[in-house]
Amino acid sequence: MQSISRALRSRNYRLFFTGQAISLIGNWMTQTATIWLVYSLSHSAWMLGVVGFASQLPNFLLTPIAGVLVDRWNRHRTILLTQFLAMLQSLALAFLAFTDQIDVWQVMALSVFQGTVNALDMPARQAFVVQMVDHKEDVGNAIALNSSIFSGARLVGPAIAGIVIASLGAGTCFLLDGLSYLAVLAGLLAMKLPLLARGASAQSTGTLWQKLQEGFHYAFGFPPMRAILSLVAPTSLVGMPYLVLVPIFAAQIFHGGSTILGLMMAATGFGALIAAVYLSSRSSVLGLGRLIAIAPALLGAALMTFALSRMLWLSLLALFLLGMSLMLQRTSSNTLLQTIVEEDKRGRVMSFFLMALTGMATLGNLSAGGLAQQIGAPHTLFIGGVLSVIGSLLFIRQLPTFRKQIRPIYYQIGILPQTNA
């Protein structure tokens, strides 16, 4: 068990982990309540896609710039600010819902606000992991544990949301989410950090544009980094939009309500949790390249199965595998990038990773919503599954070269012994 939770030896990370475990459950309650509310108000697949696009558009536009700022700013204070603003957004949703003033355009506007906050919060949070753990060898475990609590929250949050929406309404989900931020804010305030946890390049010179160019050339000039980012981006484009189309399957195919939606979301979360626990138990980054290559093929098979299934148990199994494959690829890619990146460029590389992950999902949400309106949600997801398998096959062809190019870094940082060089 020690190997699975060894990053919790670090007090600061332990505080962060505890706060996030509570707050992320609220986040997933809000996400589930939001897509159900939008579909209830509009009965439109297109509007689900538009709202999903609106929530992620700021990530697509602002995350690269945020990466430069994260490498310069105090990451601890940055996360404190973003978490406080996110709390205000959830409380605003709760107020509108409880006063019966909420409409789709208001949800969209607040989603844009939350997306803007996330554009800064996510690269700051990813880069901050290194500063919270006391032992460098625990960084990979900390990233996997982050994924575990994210997945656990995705398992618990939607299931709770389904019950709460049916009994108390969406507004209660928003309120509970807003209150849950108090846990993570308390954890952040209780941390003891050296040098105020400044970014590694806080004293570096150069304009914002120059630092952005430097980070871009660094990330995409090294073939292994470029290969990882180039696989994450299309997989997110065609795989992640399942999230905005799930309500259609729950309502139209299985003729259910928010409870069925909660079960579907929970099945995805359970699969992701199993994958995250497995990754937490790994003692080395060796072999992650193989997981990164195989995961999109598993995702594609799961998407095609879910698209064709008309049996609830099979659909839940497909969603379980879908969540597992997304987590395997996302966390393995993140861990590998965090292992090989230079510290003064960590924020920028993480911003490119998050842009590939969430930014491309932005375009996927919009295109999937529009395509589903024309050809139906099942056909849309089936096409995404086929493209995911193709992406996996293309990456597998690069794997031998990938390993050869990344091996010198492993020797340099001690993952492989120098005597084997």
Side-chain angles (χ1 to χ4, degrees), residues 112-131:
V112 171
F113 175 79
Q114 182 65 60
T116 303
V117 172
N118 287 342
L120 182 59
D121 176 78
M122 290 193 296
R125 192 184 309 194
Q126 295 289 339
F128 190 49
V129 169
V130 177
Q131 294 174 307

Side-chain angles (χ1 to χ4, degrees), residues 84-409:
F84 178 74
L85 292 175
M87 179 177 68
L88 294 182
Q89 188 263 0
S90 295
L91 293 177
L93 278 172
F95 174 79
L96 291 171
F98 281 130
T99 56
D100 293 323
Q101 301 179 54
I102 199 161
D103 204 347
V104 173
W105 73 267
Q106 294 167 324
V107 175
M108 192 179 305
L110 286 169
S111 295
V112 171
F113 175 79
Q114 182 65 60
T116 303
V117 172
N118 287 342
L120 182 59
D121 176 78
M122 290 193 296
R125 192 184 309 194
Q126 295 289 339
F128 190 49
V129 169
V130 177
Q131 294 174 307
M132 285 188 289
V133 294
D134 299 330
H135 309 281
K136 187 176 181 180
E137 63 270 19
D138 291 343
V139 170
N141 180 250
I143 294 170
L145 285 177
N146 281 352
S147 300
S148 297
I149 56 174
F150 184 86
S151 303
R154 185 161 61 178
L155 172 63
V156 175
I160 295 175
I163 298 171
V164 171
I165 293 169
S167 57
L168 300 173
T172 303
C173 290
F174 301 142
L175 177 61
L176 292 174
D177 181 27
L179 295 176
S180 73
Y181 280 101
L182 296 175
V184 70
L185 289 171
L188 289 166
L189 291 171
M191 289 182 181
K192 296 177 181 178
L193 296 162
L195 300 177
L196 298 178
R198 289 192 178 276
S201 61
Q203 305 300 323
S204 64
T205 59
T207 65
L208 187 147
W209 177 246
Q210 288 172 335
K211 302 306 289 185
L212 181 60
Q213 284 184 309
E214 179 189 57
F216 181 85
H217 290 309
Y218 171 75
F220 288 91
F222 184 43
M225 283 189 183
R226 184 173 65 240
I228 292 172
L229 295 173
S230 298
L231 180 62
V232 170
T235 303
S236 298
L237 178 69
V238 301
M240 292 294 287
Y242 84 91
L243 186 62
V244 298
L245 298 180
V246 165
I248 298 173
F249 286 84
Q252 294 185 5
I253 293 178
F254 294 104
H255 308 290
S258 58
T259 302
I260 294 294
L261 175 62
L263 283 174
M264 289 183 164
M265 299 283 282
T268 312
F270 186 52
L273 178 61
I274 295 299
V277 170
Y278 161 70
L279 292 170
S280 299
S281 69
R282 290 177 55 90
S283 59
S284 171
V285 298
L286 298 177
L288 288 183
R290 186 184 304 109
L291 288 177
I292 294 170
I294 295 172
L298 179 60
L299 170 65
L303 280 171
M304 289 185 281
T305 301
F306 181 68
L308 296 175
S309 172
R310 296 300 178 266
M311 294 177 287
L312 182 58
W313 70 267
L314 182 58
S315 295
L316 294 176
L317 176 61
L319 288 171
F320 171 84
L321 295 174
L322 188 153
M324 179 183 291
S325 58
L326 282 174
M327 182 56 63
L328 286 173
Q329 187 194 9
R330 175 189 303 169
T331 305
S332 297
S333 299
N334 188 347
T335 302
L336 201 50
L337 288 173
Q338 293 262 36
T339 300
I340 64 178
V341 68
E342 296 175 8
E343 179 58 37
D344 65 328
K345 300 178 183 67
R346 188 177 301 276
R348 280 165 286 178
V349 171
M350 286 298 96
S351 73
F352 294 134
F353 169 71
L354 290 166
M355 186 177 180
L357 183 69
T358 62
M360 293 306 292
T362 301
L363 300 179
N365 287 337
L366 186 64
S367 60
L371 190 60
Q373 195 76 8
Q374 299 299 318
I375 66 174
H379 290 103
T380 300
L381 291 187
F382 188 87
I383 292 172
V386 172
L387 294 176
S388 293
V389 172
I390 292 173
S392 179
L393 295 175
L394 292 175
F395 188 87
I396 288 172
R397 291 181 60 187
Q398 304 178 58
L399 204 52
T401 304
F402 178 97
R403 289 169 174 161
K404 183 177 180 180
Q405 292 170 329
I406 212 169
R407 193 173 292 121
I409 298 177

